[in-house]
Amino acid sequence: MKLFKQTVSVGLAALLLSSTALAQTSTQDGAVLVYEPAYFDAFNPITALDMVNQVPGFSIDNGQHVRGLADTFANVLVDGERQSTKSESIHDILGRIPIANIERIELVREAVAGVDMRGQTRVVNVVLREEQSSRSTTASVGGIYWVGSGRLTPTASVSTTWERGDTRITLAGGLETNAAPLLRDEWLFDAAGNLLESRDEQTSRDLVMPRLSGSVNTTFDNGSRLNVSLSANQHDSQSLDTSVVVDALGDDLRTEIFTSEFEDTSWEGTLTYEHPFGENVSGQLVLLNQQSESSSADEFLRATASGNRNTTFFDNEVESGERAVRGTLTWEMNERHSFEFGAEGAFNYLENSLLISVAAGSTQPTQLPVSNTRVEEERAELFASHVWRPVDNVTVESGFRLERSTISQSGDASRERSFDYPKPSITLTWNADEDTQWVFGLEREVGQLSFGAFASSINPTDDVILIGNPELEPEKTWRASAMWERRWNGEGFFRVSLTHEEVEDVRDAQPVTVVTDNSVNPPLTTTFDAPGNIGDGRRTYLQAETAIPLDDYGMGDSRLNLALFLRDTEVTDPTTGESRRFQGNEDWRFSANFRQNLTEHNLSWGWSGMVLGDEDLYRFDEIYLFSREPRFDLWVETTAFFDATVRLSWQDLNAQVNERERRFYSDARDVGTLEAVEIREQDLGGFVVLTARKTF
């Protein structure tokens, strides 16, 4: 990781303009756009999160949830520092910074000296004021009304920050709850389209998630900076799924009841120390320790109309942890060249225990392959990067990372493997003028493996088993990209990007045959699906985004944002040998959101909508097809009461219906025939959210 300077650009005097006029300046030929606090006044901000959400042409990315530290950082910095915590999102961190503590917001659009872009084309830097002594508290309370279940659940959060000279202390706590129902209708047809049975299903849930966190950030006289943070999270949920199944004539066939209890406790501690070794050389050390323990107890009851009853119990215990250390040395040689060198090491583990037992007069355990196992990984990485400005309006960022990983597995499966992965990258940014930018990139990426894929899992309601696969390897991707952006009037922009990926060892499900009974000759075998690598494939994306200020069209202080995403993928199906698209990848996506500020009434309102293309999911003897109706949200916000920001929103206003078509085959899809088709329609029923936020 890189040591950042207190700011990432040369400060310019703020423009004294009205709230609807341009309140943005730029530095380094448009590489850094600066937004003063006055720019955000019309948006009624309470915290840094409110400000960052309104930066034109920028969307917060929390980073990948993967092992180690290299690829987990969000695209938002605070005082030039990346937040090293993994258990808290950047949304939570920004939501604890009151606007009174903010000097300005900077949008960094290319690699510049003193800013670690981490391969990202743009980041936001939240620059804090230098206060000698201050204290502020931000609190939020609210409630969610779940239309489908008629229930009301509370939400709350509070954070307090003390500034004492060069030390900043933050304490925070929060509570999230959820009682969203799942309302389903399901129909099963034979291959000829005749109705066999139908199902009325409803799931009720109770979810409670309290959280606590604290951090201390201090600067020493020699310029060194130290940040220590701790966080703890609890996740408790109970759910009840009830299904009544009838035949084509409406007569009762059976009742299925699935109950689930889940509990997860996790904590994390991080330490970040930065030290200057001279005017142009600095170093940083990051330590991370993360621990999580979860348990679930599920029960699936099936009772037929004739009186037969069968109950299956599922007990799952999972323990996981991560220790990571990362060291970085940065050399700002001059205005044209800067270098970064470093190393990272990490140890990760997951221990899974799954017990299945069936009660039908007596309880007998059912053994599933690779259901009790421990997976460990030792990983080391060396990295170096170079930022070069050959001319004032062109920046070249090149980098190279070399990763070595050893994965070992014990328990039901015993295996140890080592991998070496080189990961080069290069990005060229050309600012044709202060409003027009071109970005070209080429990189090799190695995907992260989910330890959960090494252990078996089961979905009782769909009767689906996935066998853990000790032979799983990460995807390797060569990615080439090009992006063009044009800005106007301070708030308007249009951006289009094209990306092509060549993917090696595509991660998908593949059939695995295991021996289930050795007592007979020949032994009995069963074929399951397992996470696996199914060969090479390709992905191509086209993305277009725009923000259109509507002031000149008689709409007052308002803005319309549009985004279109198109995707084309191709891989060879491991069962049929035919080409198909990647599973879980919709071909297109379109979203729109609108906001209007009525400052004379202390009021803002807006709406958002999204529609997605279909998705597929493949098993060796099944195909899933997913489709969704458009979703629409509506909201209104006011600051007319007690100097607080009160927001009322109706989310999923049209009660979006998600449809799943599930096709069953008599054998593997390449040789079997279609036996049945199941259609399921599901929705949440919509929900209304009321929140009030205030800074003291």
Side-chain angles (χ1 to χ4, degrees), residues 117-176:
M117 301 296 288
R118 289 290 161 84
Q120 296 164 326
T121 58
R122 61 203 63 237
V123 300
V124 155
N125 182 33
V126 179
V127 181
L128 303 181
R129 298 182 186 275
E130 295 183 5
E131 298 288 348
Q132 294 300 313
S133 179
S134 65
R135 177 181 176 180
S136 62
T137 299
T138 300
S140 173
V141 295
I144 306 175
Y145 175 71
W146 305 93
V147 178
S149 63
R151 298 184 58 188
L152 180 66
T153 60
T155 62
S157 66
V158 61
S159 65
T160 298
T161 300
W162 293 270
E163 298 274 357
R164 292 293 183 270
D166 294 326
T167 300
R168 182 172 67 250
I169 302 173
T170 300
L171 297 176
L175 175 68
E176 293 184 30

Side-chain angles (χ1 to χ4, degrees), residues 209-227:
M209 292 190 297
R211 63 184 185 275
L212 293 172
S213 64
S215 66
V216 178
N217 189 308
T218 188
T219 302
F220 301 98
D221 292 340
N222 63 358
S224 298
R225 302 173 70 173
L226 176 67
N227 178 274

Side-chain angles (χ1 to χ4, degrees), residues 368-370 412-413 453-456 465-473 507-516 524-534 573-575 618-622 667-670:
L368 197 64
V370 203
D412 291 347
F454 289 84
S456 297
I465 295 173
L466 286 179
I467 298 298
N469 183 7
E471 303 296 330
L472 189 64
E473 294 188 18
R507 164 77 185 278
D508 207 318
Q510 64 179 15
V512 175
T513 300
V514 298
V515 176
T516 55
L524 295 179
T525 61
T526 302
T527 301
F528 297 95
D529 284 293
N533 303 105
I534 64 172
D573 190 288
T575 300
Y618 299 88
R619 300 290 182 250
F620 81 95
D621 60 350
E622 296 181 27
D667 203 335
R669 287 183 285 112
D670 57 334

Side-chain angles (χ1 to χ4, degrees), residues 383-387 397-401 423-427 442:
F383 56 89
S385 66
H386 174 215
V387 177
E397 180 182 16
S398 57
F400 185 82
R401 295 158 58 184
K423 296 179 284 187
S425 64
I426 186 168
T427 301
L442 178 65

